[in-house]
Amino acid sequence: ALALPIPQAAAAALSQAPIPQRVPLRARLLPTPRPILRRPDMDVLRIERMTVRTDRVVADVRVAPDARWSTPAVAARVRQAFPLVVRHACVNDADDTFDAVLDSTPLPHVLEHLVIDLQTCAAAQAAAALPDDFAFVGTSEWTDEAQGRARVEVNFTDDLVALRAFREATQFLNDAVVR
């Protein structure tokens, strides 16, 4: 290799020049990640705690006071985005399907059915071999309706899929409910 001498003036200028910070190229090319949930004061529905048990995920949720129940507008958004949710079996006073109560049911109940629907779709896409008698099931109940606190429990075949389903369903409801 041939080493050429650097003129003294250039060497002095280089030694005093600030060294630029190196930023990996990939960091400049990646988009800013979208936050999982918006600020807590903007959320209609917020998961406060999740517990993964051997057979189910338990989510303690809090619902904003002005948006505790679904509306026909929210129900329309749910039906459009999750067309199979209307056929879910559901224990309620109106009928034996979730569609019978979707226009006016607590948002944690809607969350329960969206999580089930997302898990069902994920299992179908993965071609998961589920036993013939297996069904995704869940429950939802107010733990303190005055404070907007509820518990949603849903079984799973893959805990990571269930956790992702809770995250996606919560994001959908926070975007779907317009106050």
Side-chain angles (χ1 to χ4, degrees):
L2 176 64
L4 297 175
I6 299 176
Q8 206 165 19
L14 285 174
S15 68
Q16 295 175 2
I19 299 173
Q21 291 288 339
R22 292 186 52 132
V23 178
L25 182 60
R26 63 180 165 79
R28 284 185 252 142
L29 298 176
L30 294 176
T32 304
R34 181 176 171 214
I36 291 176
L37 295 175
R38 291 176 278 184
R39 291 190 340 249
D41 61 332
M42 292 178 64
D43 288 338
V44 171
L45 184 89
R46 182 176 61 223
I47 296 175
E48 293 189 326
R49 183 177 66 199
M50 295 187 81
T51 306
V52 178
R53 297 191 176 157
T54 57
D55 60 339
R56 67 189 178 277
V57 174
V58 179
D60 292 321
V61 301
R62 188 164 201 169
V63 187
D66 59 339
R68 297 220 170 117
W69 293 76
S70 65
T71 63
V74 171
R77 291 181 188 107
V78 169
R79 286 182 183 102
Q80 181 178 11
F82 300 89
L84 298 178
V85 80
V86 298
R87 297 190 341 214
H88 284 195
C90 182
V91 177
N92 61 66
D93 295 333
D95 194 10
D96 60 353
T97 65
F98 183 56
D99 192 45
V101 294
L102 181 54
D103 287 343
S104 180
T105 193
L107 278 186
H109 187 209
V110 178
L111 177 67
E112 169 199 337
H113 281 272
L114 296 185
V115 169
I116 289 170
D117 200 68
L118 287 165
Q119 287 190 95
T120 303
C121 291
Q125 288 175 353
L130 299 176
D132 290 338
D133 62 343
F134 182 84
F136 288 104
V137 295
T139 62
S140 53
E141 64 181 343
W142 290 113
T143 55
D144 185 345
E145 188 173 359
Q147 293 295 314
R149 295 180 188 275
R151 177 165 293 133
V152 177
E153 298 187 26
V154 178
N155 69 341
F156 62 84
T157 56
D158 182 328
D159 58 341
L160 296 178
V161 172
L163 294 171
R164 186 179 75 220
F166 266 100
R167 184 188 68 211
E168 290 176 4
T170 301
Q171 285 177 337
F172 174 83
L173 287 173
N174 280 326
D175 291 340
V177 175
V178 178
R179 296 190 254 179

